[in-house]
Amino acid sequence: MINESLAATSDTLFSVAVGLYSLAVVAFCAELAFGGRTAPARELVAAGGGTVQRPVPAAAGGADDEPARARRWGMVAMALTALGALVQAGVLLTRGLATGRLPWGNMYEFGTAVVLVAVVVYLVLAVRTPALRHIGIFVLAPVVLSMVGIGLFLYASAGPLVAALRSAWLAVHVTTAILGFGIFFVSGIASVMYLVRSRYEAKVAAGEQPMSRIVHRLPGAAALDRTAHRTAVFGFPIWTFAVIAGAIWAESAWGRFWGWDPKETWAFIAWVVYAAYLHARTTAGWRGRPSAWINVVGLGVMVFNLLYVNMVSTGLHSYGGLN
């Protein structure tokens, strides 16, 4: 039996979470607006019997000279983000209590859980490394868009699991897939920001004065690249385990470990792309921008696997709860 009251509460909390995240985006925008822009620091160095100026890299991306008003808006944004994450956790908790099962039995629940993991990962990173707070708008804006899309196009009413998902492997395979996807979500965004910031720093090093308040306030390129790499390193074994657990579940349910079903195929492609990224990240000639592009491609593959494979293609995994 479905507890309709709890199910309705879950739906209401979903809307509240979207509202809180939207307010967080506004607060992050205010932080950037009031943050000002300081010209890149330069130092005198000896060159050819004289002295020339060269830029001094800013690892914190302008965080050291952050005005008090901007800092307050940043704290408000972080508080709204944390509150939104708590409310979003309540969405899944009440949905699970309403249905008496794990709350990731369809695309609506799966997508909601992935976004929650991404937000939590961002919050942990921002608390551990305060400079990473400045990528908040670039994490929360996709989060809001994702939540709106999930609510509009992936929504499924609370109900029991379909027969194919009634297995103990749901708690193992799907849970680890959610964790891996959410971590890769943040890793991919960090790589996108690294690509933007590294180009900005290259222009500054060449003596140009790029007028970009937003990019100036991003963490340094090295910090963004390190964040993208470390999160991918953390997420890769989780995704590997999810693929292996899925193969074991497939053998139990369908009598074979692997059948090149579209979902299986694209999950494996994603694994290959992230393995290539981690290898390229430590290979001379591929470090920096080339490897970052591979990470961005990996995120694209993950999104494609979630949306296109579930919504367009047909296969043994076509039970996402969509009409």
Side-chain angles (χ1 to χ4, degrees):
M1 297 294 293
I2 305 301
N3 188 319
E4 298 296 342
S5 177
L6 283 175
T9 300
S10 176
D11 294 345
T12 300
L13 290 177
F14 185 93
S15 299
V16 173
V18 174
L20 288 170
Y21 288 147
S22 299
L23 290 175
V25 169
V26 173
F28 278 123
C29 289
E31 179 191 25
L32 292 175
F34 292 116
R37 182 180 186 276
T38 303
R42 310 182 79 85
E43 63 180 354
L44 293 176
V45 295
T51 59
V52 297
Q53 287 188 333
R54 72 177 183 187
V56 178
D64 292 339
D65 56 1
E66 182 180 29
R69 187 187 300 184
R71 189 176 298 110
R72 286 195 297 270
W73 276 111
M75 293 298 100
V76 169
M78 289 294 293
L80 288 169
T81 303
L83 182 58
L86 289 174
V87 172
Q88 191 175 358
V91 172
L92 296 172
L93 177 62
T94 50
R95 173 64 74 111
L97 293 174
T99 56
R101 57 171 176 79
L102 286 175
W104 34 83
N106 51 58
M107 287 185 66
Y108 167 76
E109 297 167 359
F110 182 90
T112 301
V114 167
V115 171
L116 175 60
V117 171
V119 172
V120 171
V121 170
Y122 163 71
L123 287 171
V124 171
L125 291 173
V127 170
R128 289 174 59 90
T129 308
L132 291 176
R133 190 186 77 219
H134 297 294
I135 70 170
I137 187 173
F138 303 102
V139 175
L140 267 293
V143 161
V144 171
L145 292 176
S146 298
M147 291 285 283
V148 171
I150 290 168
L152 290 177
F153 304 111
L154 303 183
Y155 178 77
S157 300
L161 287 172
V162 298
L165 296 179
R166 294 170 188 168
S167 169
W169 282 103
L170 176 71
V172 179
H173 170 58
V174 181
T175 301
T176 50
I178 288 169
L179 292 173
F181 196 164
I183 295 169
F184 287 152
F185 185 98
V186 177
S187 180
I189 290 176
S191 280
V192 171
M193 294 299 98
Y194 162 76
L195 292 169
V196 174
R197 176 71 187 194
S198 63
R199 174 162 296 188
Y200 171 89
E201 291 183 1
K203 290 181 178 180
V204 173
E208 300 181 29
Q209 294 289 328
M211 299 299 294
S212 178
R213 175 184 297 180
I214 295 177
V215 179
H216 172 70
R217 291 185 59 74
L218 286 174
L224 290 168
D225 188 39
R226 186 166 55 250
T227 298
H229 178 245
R230 289 179 175 177
T231 48
V233 166
F234 185 67
F236 184 71
I238 297 175
W239 184 254
T240 301
F241 183 79
V243 173
I244 294 173
I248 297 173
W249 189 3
E251 195 280 332
S252 175
W254 303 318
R256 89 291 187 279
F257 288 100
W258 200 265
W260 296 106
D261 179 78
K263 176 67 71 172
E264 297 171 347
T265 301
W266 282 98
F268 177 69
I269 291 173
W271 184 90
V272 171
V273 172
Y274 280 106
Y277 165 66
L278 294 178
H279 178 71
R281 181 62 172 63
T282 58
T283 302
W286 281 90
R287 296 172 187 155
R289 294 179 65 87
S291 61
W293 277 113
I294 297 176
N295 196 23
V296 174
V297 170
L299 178 58
V301 171
M302 295 291 289
V303 174
F304 179 86
N305 189 25
L306 173 65
L307 299 179
Y308 183 86
V309 173
N310 280 90
M311 300 175 70
V312 179
S313 68
T314 58
L316 294 173
H317 288 79
S318 299
Y319 36 69
L322 301 177
N323 294 325

